Amino acid sequence: GRFYWNEGQPFHFAGEYEDYGDSYGEIDGVRVHQTVGCGFDIDKQEVFFTLDGRMMGVARSQVEPHSFHAAVGLHSQGDSVVVNLGGAPFHFDIETYCLRT
């Protein structure tokens, strides 16, 4: 898979569509389970993604809190997703991230 932003379009920056972050879900043609995270830094008004607990970087800046809506899209029949809204520990160390920012 790819990280996407804005109704399924690849990350948009300065009028150009470009890839954002590493691809995920398949390594050398073999499907693998990976953890994708999406975060919103309300103080900086930035949306970021993580992959298997690693920060992938800021995807979008100057995002108003009321304009951000996270969504998950699946690609193929039989695909599945588990959503963690904080009921279990995150793979990404959000507490350390919050202390550093």
Side-chain angles (χ1 to χ4, degrees):
R2 300 295 304 169
F3 292 96
Y4 288 97
W5 177 267
N6 193 14
E7 298 176 354
Q9 294 299 314
F11 178 63
H12 184 263
F13 178 75
E16 299 289 326
Y17 287 104
E18 57 189 54
D19 288 337
Y20 167 81
D22 296 339
S23 62
Y24 60 90
E26 190 173 291
I27 297 175
D28 295 329
V30 177
R31 292 186 68 148
V32 296
H33 294 279
Q34 291 182 289
T35 300
V36 175
C38 180
F40 179 60
D41 187 324
I42 196 165
D43 293 330
K44 293 182 178 179
Q45 294 184 315
E46 295 176 337
V47 174
F48 63 88
F49 287 98
T50 65
L51 180 61
D52 290 333
R54 294 178 294 117
M55 172 64 85
M56 301 306 298
V58 174
R60 184 99 184 222
S61 298
Q62 300 176 340
V63 178
E64 295 291 328
H66 63 275
S67 68
F68 175 67
H69 306 280
V72 175
L74 302 177
H75 183 265
S76 302
Q77 184 174 352
D79 284 353
S80 64
V81 64
V82 175
V83 177
N84 176 9
L85 300 175
F90 294 119
H91 279 61
F92 178 68
D93 187 354
I94 192 69
E95 291 178 5
T96 299
Y97 171 82
C98 290
L99 291 173
R100 290 181 183 166
T101 59

